[in-house]
PDB file of all heavy atoms in Angstrom:
ATOM      1  N   ALA A 118      -0.892   7.259  30.293  1.00  0.00           N
ATOM      2  CA  ALA A 118      -1.811   7.997  29.426  1.00  0.00           C
ATOM      3  C   ALA A 118      -1.850   7.330  28.051  1.00  0.00           C
ATOM      4  O   ALA A 118      -0.959   6.572  27.679  1.00  0.00           O
ATOM      5  CB  ALA A 118      -1.399   9.457  29.304  1.00  0.00           C
ATOM      6  N   PHE A 119      -2.890   7.641  27.291  1.00  0.00           N
ATOM      7  CA  PHE A 119      -3.162   6.862  26.090  1.00  0.00           C
ATOM      8  C   PHE A 119      -2.120   7.041  24.987  1.00  0.00           C
ATOM      9  O   PHE A 119      -1.966   6.174  24.121  1.00  0.00           O
ATOM     10  CB  PHE A 119      -4.589   7.159  25.610  1.00  0.00           C
ATOM     11  CG  PHE A 119      -4.698   7.917  24.329  1.00  0.00           C
ATOM     12  CD1 PHE A 119      -4.866   7.244  23.128  1.00  0.00           C
ATOM     13  CD2 PHE A 119      -4.626   9.293  24.317  1.00  0.00           C
ATOM     14  CE1 PHE A 119      -4.981   7.947  21.939  1.00  0.00           C
ATOM     15  CE2 PHE A 119      -4.739   9.994  23.132  1.00  0.00           C
ATOM     16  CZ  PHE A 119      -4.914   9.319  21.940  1.00  0.00           C
ATOM     17  N   LYS A 120      -1.367   8.150  25.026  1.00  0.00           N
ATOM     18  CA  LYS A 120      -0.389   8.356  23.957  1.00  0.00           C
ATOM     19  C   LYS A 120       0.697   7.279  23.943  1.00  0.00           C
ATOM     20  O   LYS A 120       1.355   7.070  22.932  1.00  0.00           O
ATOM     21  CB  LYS A 120       0.212   9.751  24.057  1.00  0.00           C
ATOM     22  CG  LYS A 120      -0.844  10.791  23.735  1.00  0.00           C
ATOM     23  CD  LYS A 120      -0.324  12.164  23.480  1.00  0.00           C
ATOM     24  CE  LYS A 120      -1.447  13.078  23.028  1.00  0.00           C
ATOM     25  NZ  LYS A 120      -2.572  13.164  23.980  1.00  0.00           N
ATOM     26  N   ASP A 153       2.150  15.795  28.656  1.00  0.00           N
ATOM     27  CA  ASP A 153       2.168  14.345  28.555  1.00  0.00           C
ATOM     28  C   ASP A 153       2.943  13.770  27.375  1.00  0.00           C
ATOM     29  O   ASP A 153       3.582  12.731  27.497  1.00  0.00           O
ATOM     30  CB  ASP A 153       0.734  13.825  28.498  1.00  0.00           C
ATOM     31  CG  ASP A 153       0.084  13.861  29.855  1.00  0.00           C
ATOM     32  OD1 ASP A 153       0.827  14.042  30.849  1.00  0.00           O
ATOM     33  OD2 ASP A 153      -1.136  13.718  29.932  1.00  0.00           O
ATOM     34  N   SER A 236       1.631  14.170  16.284  1.00  0.00           N
ATOM     35  CA  SER A 236       0.484  13.266  16.177  1.00  0.00           C
ATOM     36  C   SER A 236      -0.091  13.210  14.766  1.00  0.00           C
ATOM     37  O   SER A 236      -1.058  12.506  14.536  1.00  0.00           O
ATOM     38  CB  SER A 236      -0.592  13.655  17.173  1.00  0.00           C
ATOM     39  OG  SER A 236      -1.273  14.803  16.708  1.00  0.00           O
ATOM     40  N   GLN A 245      -3.301   2.949  16.832  1.00  0.00           N
ATOM     41  CA  GLN A 245      -4.537   3.202  17.567  1.00  0.00           C
ATOM     42  C   GLN A 245      -5.743   2.489  16.960  1.00  0.00           C
ATOM     43  O   GLN A 245      -6.786   2.383  17.595  1.00  0.00           O
ATOM     44  CB  GLN A 245      -4.792   4.717  17.631  1.00  0.00           C
ATOM     45  CG  GLN A 245      -3.651   5.438  18.350  1.00  0.00           C
ATOM     46  CD  GLN A 245      -3.839   6.936  18.422  1.00  0.00           C
ATOM     47  OE1 GLN A 245      -4.749   7.496  17.819  1.00  0.00           O
ATOM     48  NE2 GLN A 245      -2.974   7.601  19.149  1.00  0.00           N
ATOM     49  N   VAL A 272     -15.289   9.060  22.254  1.00  0.00           N
ATOM     50  CA  VAL A 272     -13.869   9.377  22.291  1.00  0.00           C
ATOM     51  C   VAL A 272     -13.632  10.818  22.744  1.00  0.00           C
ATOM     52  O   VAL A 272     -14.030  11.759  22.054  1.00  0.00           O
ATOM     53  CB  VAL A 272     -13.231   9.168  20.896  1.00  0.00           C
ATOM     54  CG1 VAL A 272     -11.722   9.253  21.005  1.00  0.00           C
ATOM     55  CG2 VAL A 272     -13.648   7.834  20.289  1.00  0.00           C
ATOM     56  N   PRO A 273     -12.986  10.995  23.903  1.00  0.00           N
ATOM     57  CA  PRO A 273     -12.595  12.352  24.329  1.00  0.00           C
ATOM     58  C   PRO A 273     -11.538  12.874  23.350  1.00  0.00           C
ATOM     59  O   PRO A 273     -10.485  12.264  23.203  1.00  0.00           O
ATOM     60  CB  PRO A 273     -11.981  12.144  25.715  1.00  0.00           C
ATOM     61  CG  PRO A 273     -12.298  10.741  26.121  1.00  0.00           C
ATOM     62  CD  PRO A 273     -12.526   9.964  24.865  1.00  0.00           C
ATOM     63  N   THR A 274     -11.836  13.967  22.669  1.00  0.00           N
ATOM     64  CA  THR A 274     -11.058  14.308  21.483  1.00  0.00           C
ATOM     65  C   THR A 274     -10.335  15.648  21.595  1.00  0.00           C
ATOM     66  O   THR A 274     -10.876  16.613  22.123  1.00  0.00           O
ATOM     67  CB  THR A 274     -11.995  14.342  20.259  1.00  0.00           C
ATOM     68  OG1 THR A 274     -12.719  13.116  20.208  1.00  0.00           O
ATOM     69  CG2 THR A 274     -11.218  14.509  18.978  1.00  0.00           C
ATOM     70  N   GLY A 275      -9.111  15.684  21.085  1.00  0.00           N
ATOM     71  CA  GLY A 275      -8.333  16.913  21.012  1.00  0.00           C
ATOM     72  C   GLY A 275      -7.893  17.157  19.584  1.00  0.00           C
ATOM     73  O   GLY A 275      -8.472  17.935  18.838  1.00  0.00           O
ATOM     74  N   ASN A 276      -6.860  16.432  19.178  1.00  0.00           N
ATOM     75  CA  ASN A 276      -6.307  16.605  17.843  1.00  0.00           C
ATOM     76  C   ASN A 276      -6.974  15.691  16.805  1.00  0.00           C
ATOM     77  O   ASN A 276      -6.557  15.629  15.667  1.00  0.00           O
ATOM     78  CB  ASN A 276      -4.805  16.335  17.894  1.00  0.00           C
ATOM     79  CG  ASN A 276      -4.056  17.226  16.940  1.00  0.00           C
ATOM     80  OD1 ASN A 276      -4.591  18.204  16.429  1.00  0.00           O
ATOM     81  ND2 ASN A 276      -2.817  16.883  16.672  1.00  0.00           N
ATOM     82  N   PHE A 277      -7.992  14.957  17.221  1.00  0.00           N
ATOM     83  CA  PHE A 277      -8.792  14.085  16.361  1.00  0.00           C
ATOM     84  C   PHE A 277      -8.046  12.832  15.910  1.00  0.00           C
ATOM     85  O   PHE A 277      -8.424  12.169  14.959  1.00  0.00           O
ATOM     86  CB  PHE A 277      -9.304  14.869  15.121  1.00  0.00           C
ATOM     87  CG  PHE A 277     -10.636  14.381  14.612  1.00  0.00           C
ATOM     88  CD1 PHE A 277     -11.813  14.743  15.259  1.00  0.00           C
ATOM     89  CD2 PHE A 277     -10.737  13.565  13.503  1.00  0.00           C
ATOM     90  CE1 PHE A 277     -13.051  14.292  14.810  1.00  0.00           C
ATOM     91  CE2 PHE A 277     -11.967  13.108  13.042  1.00  0.00           C
ATOM     92  CZ  PHE A 277     -13.124  13.475  13.688  1.00  0.00           C
ATOM     93  N   GLY A 278      -6.959  12.465  16.623  1.00  0.00           N
ATOM     94  CA  GLY A 278      -6.203  11.285  16.222  1.00  0.00           C
ATOM     95  C   GLY A 278      -6.885  10.000  16.659  1.00  0.00           C
ATOM     96  O   GLY A 278      -7.084   9.068  15.869  1.00  0.00           O
ATOM     97  N   ASN A 279      -7.259   9.963  17.934  1.00  0.00           N
ATOM     98  CA  ASN A 279      -7.851   8.765  18.508  1.00  0.00           C
ATOM     99  C   ASN A 279      -9.142   8.392  17.782  1.00  0.00           C
ATOM    100  O   ASN A 279      -9.323   7.256  17.338  1.00  0.00           O
ATOM    101  CB  ASN A 279      -8.093   9.065  20.000  1.00  0.00           C
ATOM    102  CG  ASN A 279      -8.333   7.820  20.815  1.00  0.00           C
ATOM    103  OD1 ASN A 279      -8.378   6.723  20.291  1.00  0.00           O
ATOM    104  ND2 ASN A 279      -8.492   8.003  22.115  1.00  0.00           N
ATOM    105  N   ILE A 280     -10.017   9.352  17.615  1.00  0.00           N
ATOM    106  CA  ILE A 280     -11.319   9.048  16.994  1.00  0.00           C
ATOM    107  C   ILE A 280     -11.162   8.743  15.503  1.00  0.00           C
ATOM    108  O   ILE A 280     -11.883   7.935  14.930  1.00  0.00           O
ATOM    109  CB  ILE A 280     -12.341  10.185  17.249  1.00  0.00           C
ATOM    110  CG1 ILE A 280     -13.771   9.716  16.926  1.00  0.00           C
ATOM    111  CG2 ILE A 280     -11.987  11.455  16.497  1.00  0.00           C
ATOM    112  CD1 ILE A 280     -14.855  10.635  17.479  1.00  0.00           C
ATOM    113  N   SER A 328      -5.386  18.089  27.842  1.00  0.00           N
ATOM    114  CA  SER A 328      -4.921  17.448  26.607  1.00  0.00           C
ATOM    115  C   SER A 328      -5.932  17.586  25.476  1.00  0.00           C
ATOM    116  O   SER A 328      -5.683  17.156  24.356  1.00  0.00           O
ATOM    117  CB  SER A 328      -4.630  15.970  26.846  1.00  0.00           C
ATOM    118  OG  SER A 328      -3.711  15.830  27.897  1.00  0.00           O
ATOM    119  N   MET A 329      -7.094  18.171  25.782  1.00  0.00           N
ATOM    120  CA  MET A 329      -8.101  18.405  24.746  1.00  0.00           C
ATOM    121  C   MET A 329      -8.280  19.895  24.478  1.00  0.00           C
ATOM    122  O   MET A 329      -9.214  20.290  23.792  1.00  0.00           O
ATOM    123  CB  MET A 329      -9.438  17.796  25.192  1.00  0.00           C
ATOM    124  CG  MET A 329      -9.360  16.289  25.353  1.00  0.00           C
ATOM    125  SD  MET A 329     -10.629  15.636  26.459  1.00  0.00           S
ATOM    126  CE  MET A 329     -12.086  15.981  25.494  1.00  0.00           C
ATOM    127  N   ILE A 331      -7.553  22.394  22.423  1.00  0.00           N
ATOM    128  CA  ILE A 331      -6.992  22.541  21.083  1.00  0.00           C
ATOM    129  C   ILE A 331      -7.997  23.283  20.209  1.00  0.00           C
ATOM    130  O   ILE A 331      -9.198  23.044  20.301  1.00  0.00           O
ATOM    131  CB  ILE A 331      -6.676  21.134  20.512  1.00  0.00           C
ATOM    132  CG1 ILE A 331      -5.409  20.570  21.166  1.00  0.00           C
ATOM    133  CG2 ILE A 331      -6.510  21.166  18.997  1.00  0.00           C
ATOM    134  CD1 ILE A 331      -5.073  19.161  20.775  1.00  0.00           C
ATOM    135  N   ASP A 405     -10.530   9.921  35.213  1.00  0.00           N
ATOM    136  CA  ASP A 405      -9.833  11.212  35.118  1.00  0.00           C
ATOM    137  C   ASP A 405     -10.756  12.199  34.386  1.00  0.00           C
ATOM    138  O   ASP A 405     -11.773  11.797  33.818  1.00  0.00           O
ATOM    139  CB  ASP A 405      -8.508  11.014  34.357  1.00  0.00           C
ATOM    140  CG  ASP A 405      -8.670  11.314  32.885  1.00  0.00           C
ATOM    141  OD1 ASP A 405      -9.388  10.540  32.215  1.00  0.00           O
ATOM    142  OD2 ASP A 405      -8.141  12.335  32.414  1.00  0.00           O
ATOM    143  N   HIS A 407     -10.543  13.757  31.515  1.00  0.00           N
ATOM    144  CA  HIS A 407     -10.754  13.547  30.079  1.00  0.00           C
ATOM    145  C   HIS A 407     -11.811  12.473  29.838  1.00  0.00           C
ATOM    146  O   HIS A 407     -12.707  12.616  29.011  1.00  0.00           O
ATOM    147  CB  HIS A 407      -9.441  13.145  29.392  1.00  0.00           C
ATOM    148  CG  HIS A 407      -8.353  14.164  29.547  1.00  0.00           C
ATOM    149  ND1 HIS A 407      -7.620  14.278  30.698  1.00  0.00           N
ATOM    150  CD2 HIS A 407      -7.895  15.125  28.699  1.00  0.00           C
ATOM    151  CE1 HIS A 407      -6.749  15.262  30.559  1.00  0.00           C
ATOM    152  NE2 HIS A 407      -6.889  15.795  29.360  1.00  0.00           N
ATOM    153  N   THR A 433      -8.707   7.899  28.497  1.00  0.00           N
ATOM    154  CA  THR A 433      -7.415   8.284  27.937  1.00  0.00           C
ATOM    155  C   THR A 433      -6.326   8.546  28.973  1.00  0.00           C
ATOM    156  O   THR A 433      -5.177   8.711  28.607  1.00  0.00           O
ATOM    157  CB  THR A 433      -7.570   9.514  27.027  1.00  0.00           C
ATOM    158  OG1 THR A 433      -8.276  10.531  27.738  1.00  0.00           O
ATOM    159  CG2 THR A 433      -8.325   9.159  25.761  1.00  0.00           C
ATOM    160  N   ALA A 434      -6.679   8.624  30.241  1.00  0.00           N
ATOM    161  CA  ALA A 434      -5.627   8.816  31.249  1.00  0.00           C
ATOM    162  C   ALA A 434      -6.032   8.188  32.567  1.00  0.00           C
ATOM    163  O   ALA A 434      -7.223   8.115  32.897  1.00  0.00           O
ATOM    164  CB  ALA A 434      -5.342  10.304  31.457  1.00  0.00           C
ATOM    165  N   PHE A 439      -4.168  13.185  36.892  1.00  0.00           N
ATOM    166  CA  PHE A 439      -4.817  14.492  37.087  1.00  0.00           C
ATOM    167  C   PHE A 439      -5.436  14.529  38.479  1.00  0.00           C
ATOM    168  O   PHE A 439      -6.623  14.769  38.646  1.00  0.00           O
ATOM    169  CB  PHE A 439      -5.855  14.727  35.977  1.00  0.00           C
ATOM    170  CG  PHE A 439      -5.216  14.789  34.621  1.00  0.00           C
ATOM    171  CD1 PHE A 439      -5.087  13.652  33.839  1.00  0.00           C
ATOM    172  CD2 PHE A 439      -4.675  15.984  34.153  1.00  0.00           C
ATOM    173  CE1 PHE A 439      -4.463  13.709  32.599  1.00  0.00           C
ATOM    174  CE2 PHE A 439      -4.048  16.051  32.916  1.00  0.00           C
ATOM    175  CZ  PHE A 439      -3.937  14.910  32.136  1.00  0.00           C
TER     176      PHE A 439
HETATM  177  C1  PLP B 615      -3.886  13.457  23.635  1.00  0.00           C
HETATM  178  C2  PLP B 615      -4.972  13.183  24.607  1.00  0.00           C
HETATM  179  C3  PLP B 615      -6.332  13.260  24.240  1.00  0.00           C
HETATM  180  C4  PLP B 615      -6.784  13.659  22.851  1.00  0.00           C
HETATM  181  O1  PLP B 615      -6.476  12.715  21.885  1.00  0.00           O
HETATM  182  P1  PLP B 615      -6.480  13.105  20.336  1.00  0.00           P
HETATM  183  O2  PLP B 615      -5.946  11.925  19.634  1.00  0.00           O
HETATM  184  O3  PLP B 615      -5.571  14.308  20.231  1.00  0.00           O
HETATM  185  O4  PLP B 615      -7.863  13.430  19.981  1.00  0.00           O
HETATM  186  C5  PLP B 615      -7.288  12.965  25.199  1.00  0.00           C
HETATM  187  N1  PLP B 615      -6.938  12.648  26.465  1.00  0.00           N
HETATM  188  C6  PLP B 615      -5.656  12.570  26.860  1.00  0.00           C
HETATM  189  C7  PLP B 615      -5.348  12.232  28.278  1.00  0.00           C
HETATM  190  C8  PLP B 615      -4.623  12.829  25.948  1.00  0.00           C
HETATM  191  O5  PLP B 615      -3.344  12.758  26.359  1.00  0.00           O
END
Side-chain angles (χ1 to χ4, degrees):
F119 111 95
K120 292 194 174 57
D153 284 347
S236 76
Q245 299 179 352
V272 190
T274 308
N276 215 14
F277 211 78
N279 196 357
I280 195 165
S328 305
M329 297 157 67
I331 285 175
D405 94 293
H407 301 79
T433 51
F439 297 92

